[in-house]
Structure formats: structure tokens, C-alpha cells
Amino acid sequence: MTGTTADTQWKFNARYVVLPTENVDTDQIIPARFLTTTDRTGLGPSAFNDWRYLADGSPNPDFVLNRPESQGAEVLVAGHNFGCGSSREHAVWALAGAGFRAVVSSTFADIFRGNALGNGLLPIQVSPEVLAKLMSLHTPTSTVKVDLEASTLTLPDGETVSFPVPPFSKYCLLNGTDEMGFLLGTSDDAAKYEAAHRSSFSTLAAGAA
Amino acid sequence: MSAPKTLFEKLWERHLVRPQTESTPAVLYIDLQLVHEVTSAQAFTELRNRGLKVRAPQRTIATMDHSTPTTPGGFKAMPVLDQSAQSRKAQLDQLAKNCEEFGIPLLALGDKRQGIVHVIGPELGLTQPGMTVVCGDSHTSTHGAFGALAFGIGTSQVAHVLASQCLLQTRPKTLEVRVDGTLRAGVSAKDVILAVCTRLGVGGATGHVIEYTGSVIRALSMEERMTVCNMSIEAGARAGMIAPDETTFEYLKGRPHAPKGAEWDAAVADWQTLRTDEGATYDQTIVIDGSALEPWITYGTNPGMGMSINQPVPDPDSLGDRSERDSAVKALKYMGLTAGKKLAGTPVDVVFFGSCTNARISDLRDAAQVLRGRHVAPNVRVLVVPGSQQVKRQAEAEGLDVIFKEAGAEWREAGCSMCIAMNGDQLRPGQLAVSTSNRNFEGRQGSGGRTLLASPLTAAAAAVTGVITDPRTLLEVAV
């Protein structure tokens, strides 16, 4: 059924983990005390730290990510309003560092969604009904198929649903380009804008205070 | 004649470098970016890796706030720096290096203007009506109190703004939150926004920019308006804003970076046009009766789980769908609270006055009003952390520090402190805190710590009684 063509970065089959919690905030995804890093890498082991580890540092056997069947799963399926709270991009870096390539939920917080798209962690928004079905269909070996170009998610029972991706984000991901390049390309327009709009505030650099 | 527009639409259109198309988001010009140590290092690294400069250093200002020590003397007074302190100090040193290399003004530790980004922007007059303001911090919505479009961004976007002074944005929807009536004595701006978060829920405003309107909002001071806009993100909103008026202009006039002389007059004339036109429509409107509001407090593990202080904790079984009930059960278990029981009378371990929500001078005056002549209850730890060095000096000039110290509270240096618990100021596992900050997420104020969000008045009432208390009982006003 699936797997007849080789997986690519943006079209792949993967096992999934179900975290049925709603309103997972970015403080849970990566607690603030890990934000003293000046790198984007190395946060994977601390993802969901306070749910994932007991006070003595050992893995919490009750937390879903620690179950044997969760190892190697590349898609996280979670309750609605995933990624709310703090703007910390570290949350996305931590999830990617923990091996996730996509998160499926019925809604995502705005800043998290943008951060995720910018880092190639796909925020896959599905209806509450599809989310509930995906959770109920879960077995240790069941897989979903993600296809960014088609913007579809195929459930373990073969049902395929589409998910929204901003066209520009899709273009950037599929073509390996990024927003920075596009923004630098608008530099002339920014210069025209600056010439037409004089700043009303005296700046620190100009030396008030 | 042009069609009537909302305040948001006016701000959006003013900043379009390129309009949104079917295939690309809008390119929005950013007037001011605020930078701090925690979410900027990787952005500067990206600039360095790509060989880019900061396009407009004069539209960028950095400070140190999230992980700074609030103990007297800071790092220098610490006999030994543990591993955590060493990594915090390294991150602060990295910010200083980055600002030096890229020519960005830095209000570092020790500077008389240092403080929480969302406190110092307004107090220096950098935040002005009509601007776009961004920062790698979700509480950037605070600056919307001035009639600015202000929102939090991720670190990759921090790099975008540093390099291009622009951001790619898709146009959000608009939500009017109208608060009618008049607030009763003992009910404050914090109670208003906590009630708004309860009404909307923690994700209820996702995809929207909120404009706060109504007689209650008009009557608020600038500091109170900042408290309201600050927590817009706690309902999921992209931003929150309030149209500028005489209260705004009065606050700004004479501040170090506000326009002067003829420029001031021209600016005010322009700012007066920044309001929603008669006949303009929002995508959605909610109305709250401000006259009916009581002091508000949270009981759960997100800011949308709140109630009036004299209500019993809601029974999860009374809530909508199963997943909502499961969330409430999980939250009450974490908080150690019982459904159906009133919070009033519950003993507390810690009271925290601070954060970009409630650490301005008017907040400290509210706290002092209750603490004056009283003493902190036995076994309660009370921290008072001013939002900026300037707030600290003002409080000391008014003698508020003496009131706090005589009452048995700790008077600290400016910073984010126990709101985010990165700097060593934190709850111990199991401790219950009443906090004037903005988030009650699990472990937010320290692993295993439990947070109840409330106004400075309510926090002060808990500090002196040692239990959750309606502040009006201490203020001798009608309950």
C-alpha cells in the first residue's frame, strides 16, 4: 500500500507517537533553564524534560516518549493548540533534535507554527475528527505517510487528508531556499520605504540619554 | 472616500514594503527591534555565517533581562559561579560581544536604563504609536498599548529583521475585545486581562490581533494598558493593541526618545488618526461587562484557567468535551487543588511581584498600599523585583523599598527573575506561589512549582495573610 517509492525528505512514511495532551506549551517542550545555550543543536535530549525524566534524572516510564515502541518514531501527534506560550524557537530545535520531522494537531499556536515551518518541522493541521481517529488508530507499528508537495497526510487505514501549508513556505522547503534570501532580495523596496517614511524616534545610536 | 478601517488595518498598510500575494506573504517594515540575551545569539551567528550586517542598528536596542541575577552585586558578589550561573554569564557575555561587533546599542547590566525589554522600551520613549515593534519574546504584545503593532517572533525571524529590517507576515484576523462599564475598587487591569483570557481560553485568539476598546480600557493608565496588552499572547493572539489618546501622549511627552518641539506636534497630529474608523468591522467581537468583574485568579496550568477569587474551583465534569475535562483533571492534579472548593484560605509558600506584566511603578505602589504597616505572614517568602533600574530608583525615591523591607519582603535588582526562573530565582518542587507574572504553566517558575496568577493587590493580600485572600477585605472597600 505504502512504501512503494523510496522515502524522500518531504515524502515519507513514519511511525508516530501520541501525546493526547491539549495546549502543550513551549515551556513543556523545552523548559527555560535549557535556554542558556547559544547553539541550535544539542537540545534533543532535553525535549519534554520535566515530563520525560524523574527527579533523579532517570526516564519516566509513564511518559509516552520513553516507551520502547516510541523509539525511532518521527511524527508527534498531540492535542489542540500545540506550541502555545513562549516564542522560543528552541522548542522546534528540541523537537527536531529528538528526531521529529512533523507534528500533527488540530491547531497550532501562531509563533510555533512559523518557527516550525522555518526549520522544516512540518506542522500538520487536521480536523479534530481526524486527530481523534489518528489517536485511536495508533499501534506500536502503525505508520502515517506525509507528502509535503501534495500537502497530504495518509492515516494508517489508508484515508488521505490534506493539510494547509502556506504556499511560500512550501516553495522554500521543497526548493531548499529560505525566507532570509527572499527578504534580502527585497532590499531595494525597503530602501524606498525608508526614504519615504522618516523615523519619528531619536535613536540610541544617535545618542539621547 | 476610502473605506473605514480598523486600527490594525491602518498599522498594517502603513508598513507594507510589499503587499501579500497569492504565493508570498506580505513584507512588513519593522520600526523597532528589541533584543535580549536568550533568543538572539543564534540569530547573530546566522548573520556571521552568511556574512551579513545589521541593516539598521539604530532601530535595534538590546538589554539583559531574562537570565540576569537579581541579587545585590550580581555575578560579582557570588563567591562561586555554579555551572548554571557560568552558562548564563557566558550567554550575557556573548550578547555584549554580538552588540559590539554589529554596532547595536546595549543597555547592559549596570546601566541605569537596564531592565525587562517590555518595561524599558516604553519608559525610554522608544515605543511610540504607529510603530511596528518586534522582539524574540512573546510578551512583545505589551507595546501594543501605545497603538503599535507589536508581536513576538522566533530567533530565525530575529535574524531576518537584523539583516533586512523586514519580516514576512501573513495578514491576521481582527478581534475586538470591548470592556464596558467601570471597574470597581480593588479590581485592576490584571483582573481584566485574566478575565479576558478565561473567556477566550488559552488558544481562543489564535490567528487574530486583538484591539481592546470600551470605557474600562479608555480609563486605564498607560501602565495598566501595558498589563492588558502584555497578556494578549496568553489567549493565543498575535498581538494586542489600544488606540492612542491623550493618556498615551501625556505618558510619552518628554521621554528621552520621544519627539520634541515641532516634531512632537506633528507626531501627535499623526497619532490622533490611529484609531478604528466609525463603521469599520472586526472579524469577531466579544464584550465583557467591566462593572461586574471581581479580582481574578487562576487555578490551573494555563492562563485561560481562571475565575473570580470568590468562586469555587470549577468541576472538570462541568466542562465541555472529554479532552477539555481530561485537561482540567490533569491541571487540578498538578496544582493539588480540589474541584468545588474555594481557593480563598489556601496557604501559599511564595509571593512574587515582578515581570513585564506587573513590575512597573504603579504595580509596586499597589503592592505597597497593602504591605504598608503590615508584615509578611510567617513561612511565606516574598520577592519584589522591579521591572527596570529606573522603576527601582523611582520606588526607592518614594520609599516603597522601605515598606517592602520592613514588611519582610526581599527587594531585588531588575530582571525577569521568577517569571521565567532562568536566573536562580525559582520555586522549589511543590511550592505554591501567587505571582503577578503571566504564565502558570507546569514548572514555569521552577520544576514542580505551582503558580496562581493574580494582580499585585491580590498577591499583596496573600503575602500578608499567608493564604489566598480577596484584597478588598484589606482595602476596606466593598466586596
Side-chain angles (χ1 to χ4, degrees):
Chain A
M1 186 173 69
T2 53
T4 50
T5 53
D7 283 0
T8 66
Q9 186 179 7
W10 304 118
K11 188 173 183 177
F12 58 92
N13 292 278
R15 284 186 293 113
Y16 63 99
V17 180
V18 173
L19 179 63
T21 310
E22 296 183 342
N23 303 311
V24 173
D25 59 81
T26 53
D27 273 89
Q28 307 316 313
I29 301 172
I30 185 77
R33 62 185 180 280
F34 297 103
L35 306 188
T36 55
T37 179
T38 53
D39 295 322
R40 289 170 179 250
T41 54
L43 289 166
S46 308
F48 296 110
N49 190 87
D50 291 359
W51 288 349
R52 195 166 157 194
Y53 305 107
L54 300 172
D56 66 0
S58 64
N60 175 1
D62 294 335
F63 187 58
V64 62
L65 256 58
N66 292 328
R67 289 187 200 136
E69 68 265 26
S70 298
Q71 308 315 307
E74 293 177 315
V75 174
L76 177 64
V77 176
H80 77 70
N81 195 32
F82 188 84
C84 62
S86 157
S87 60
R88 60 190 69 168
E89 196 164 317
H90 309 67
V92 170
W93 301 332
L95 290 170
F100 291 111
R101 299 166 75 180
V103 182
V104 181
S105 183
S106 50
T107 52
F108 289 92
D110 291 323
I111 303 175
F112 178 87
R113 181 202 293 272
N115 287 343
L117 286 167
N119 285 273
L121 176 75
L122 297 178
I124 297 178
Q125 186 176 339
V126 297
S127 69
E129 294 72 29
V130 168
L131 183 67
K133 184 178 173 188
L134 193 51
M135 288 184 176
S136 69
L137 286 175
H138 180 259
T139 69
T141 56
S142 50
T143 61
V144 288
K145 181 179 177 182
V146 175
D147 185 338
L148 173 62
E149 186 158 21
S151 301
T152 56
L153 176 75
T154 304
L155 277 52
D157 68 351
E159 185 191 355
T160 296
V161 296
S162 59
F163 61 87
V165 190
F168 185 70
S169 298
K170 190 197 275 192
Y171 172 85
C172 285
L173 292 171
L174 291 173
N175 292 282
T177 177
D178 67 7
E179 294 186 352
M180 181 69 99
F182 180 84
L183 279 168
L184 294 172
T186 66
S187 176
D188 288 351
D189 289 345
K192 278 183 216 151
Y193 181 92
E194 283 165 339
H197 296 77
R198 202 176 49 83
S199 162
S200 66
F201 65 98
S202 68
T203 63
L204 274 246
Chain B
M1 247 187 61
S2 59
K5 287 173 183 155
T6 62
L7 171 60
F8 164 75
E9 287 171 312
K10 291 181 183 182
L11 294 176
W12 178 263
E13 287 172 10
R14 246 180 207 231
H15 290 90
L16 285 176
V17 170
R18 282 192 192 175
Q20 190 168 330
T21 69
E22 269 182 32
S23 57
T24 52
V27 178
L28 215 57
Y29 196 80
I30 302 303
D31 291 315
L32 175 66
Q33 172 158 235
L34 304 163
V35 172
H36 64 85
E37 70 273 22
V38 172
T39 57
S40 64
Q42 294 88 343
F44 286 110
T45 301
E46 190 178 345
L47 261 59
R48 213 173 273 123
N49 290 345
R50 291 181 185 236
L52 298 169
K53 290 180 177 168
V54 173
R55 182 184 176 98
Q58 75 281 9
R59 291 181 175 278
T60 315
I61 181 163
T63 191
M64 299 174 168
D65 57 2
H66 279 62
S67 66
T68 54
T70 60
T71 42
F75 290 117
K76 283 181 194 135
M78 295 178 188
V80 191
L81 294 190
D82 61 18
Q83 203 185 349
S84 159
Q86 282 176 32
S87 65
R88 282 184 275 129
K89 185 166 184 307
Q91 193 176 49
L92 292 165
D93 291 345
Q94 187 61 48
L95 177 66
K97 275 185 221 156
N98 289 336
C99 288
E100 169 90 37
E101 179 182 339
F102 288 93
I104 291 170
L106 170 66
L107 308 181
L109 270 184
D111 191 297
K112 287 168 81 169
R113 298 162 294 174
Q114 176 263 340
I116 305 175
V117 275
H118 310 310
V119 175
I120 67 170
E123 97 190 342
L124 293 170
L126 287 162
T127 306
Q128 294 170 18
M131 280 184 167
T132 41
V133 181
V134 297
C135 174
D137 188 287
S138 59
H139 294 111
T140 308
S141 56
T142 310
H143 308 266
F146 290 79
L149 175 58
F151 51 95
I153 56 177
T155 297
S156 296
Q157 293 178 310
V158 170
H160 296 163
V161 178
L162 288 172
S164 71
Q165 208 54 38
C166 293
L167 260 187
L168 292 170
Q169 288 286 297
T170 50
R171 187 178 159 134
K173 293 179 177 166
T174 53
L175 166 62
E176 178 189 27
V177 173
R178 195 168 80 226
V179 190
D180 290 332
T182 313
L183 294 183
R184 292 192 272 176
V187 179
S188 67
K190 182 63 165 290
D191 302 309
V192 171
I193 189 59
L194 285 174
V196 168
C197 289
T198 301
R199 171 81 172 270
L200 287 169
V202 67
T206 302
H208 291 74
V209 165
I210 297 175
E211 182 182 346
Y212 299 94
T213 66
S215 53
V216 163
I217 301 299
R218 282 292 134 221
L220 296 178
S221 70
M222 281 317 295
E223 297 200 346
E224 293 169 323
R225 292 180 189 185
M226 285 188 249
T227 297
V228 169
C229 288
N230 171 275
M231 288 188 69
S232 303
I233 181 68
E234 307 313 337
R238 290 265 285 273
M241 53 177 63
I242 295 172
D245 59 13
E246 287 306 318
T247 303
T248 321
F249 310 146
E250 188 59 36
Y251 175 96
L252 270 171
K253 194 167 189 179
R255 299 216 169 237
H257 296 277
K260 312 268 187 300
E263 287 196 355
W264 169 261
D265 296 337
V268 170
D270 174 46
W271 295 341
Q272 280 167 334
T273 68
L274 297 174
R275 53 189 162 71
T276 292
D277 296 328
E278 191 85 28
T281 54
Y282 302 91
D283 292 300
Q284 209 183 322
T285 292
I286 66 162
V287 181
I288 287 177
D289 178 6
S291 304
L293 288 179
E294 294 192 279
W296 216 260
I297 193 161
T298 63
Y299 60 87
T301 52
N302 70 53
M305 301 171 101
M307 60 182 192
S308 149
I309 196 162
N310 295 309
Q311 278 175 346
V313 173
D315 185 347
D317 286 339
S318 71
L319 298 172
D321 59 19
R322 204 189 83 193
S323 57
E324 210 176 327
R325 285 199 295 277
D326 291 348
S327 285
V329 168
K330 185 171 178 284
L332 290 185
K333 188 178 170 209
Y334 181 86
M335 294 301 293
L337 298 174
T338 311
K341 202 179 151 196
K342 285 190 180 182
L343 274 185
T346 307
V348 304
D349 303 300
V350 174
V351 173
F352 172 65
F353 296 97
S355 87
C356 55
T357 312
N358 279 126
R360 297 181 180 83
I361 190 65
S362 57
D363 301 314
L364 300 189
R365 286 176 191 146
D366 276 357
Q369 183 191 344
V370 175
L371 287 168
R372 183 180 286 117
R374 294 191 171 100
H375 202 276
V376 167
N379 304 320
V380 178
R381 183 187 180 198
V382 178
L383 289 88
V384 188
V385 184
S388 69
Q389 291 298 337
Q390 196 166 310
V391 169
K392 180 166 187 264
R393 283 195 304 279
Q394 177 67 31
E396 289 172 349
E398 296 179 18
L400 304 186
D401 60 321
V402 177
I403 293 171
F404 295 133
K405 285 187 271 194
E406 283 183 356
E410 300 172 32
W411 177 241
R412 314 285 290 236
E413 297 295 323
C416 299
S417 181
M418 202 186 267
C419 173
I420 189 166
M422 281 189 74
N423 73 334
D425 301 343
Q426 60 189 49
L427 298 178
R428 293 198 305 273
Q431 282 190 321
L432 185 70
V434 178
S435 175
T436 68
S437 57
N438 41 57
R439 288 191 172 132
N440 52 351
F441 298 146
E442 288 182 27
R444 168 78 179 188
Q445 296 197 277
S447 276
R450 301 175 293 149
T451 300
L452 307 174
L453 302 174
S455 73
L457 286 174
T458 302
V464 298
T465 61
V467 296
I468 305 298
T469 302
D470 185 333
R472 294 172 297 183
T473 59
L474 299 178
L475 295 169
E476 292 170 2
V477 296
V479 174

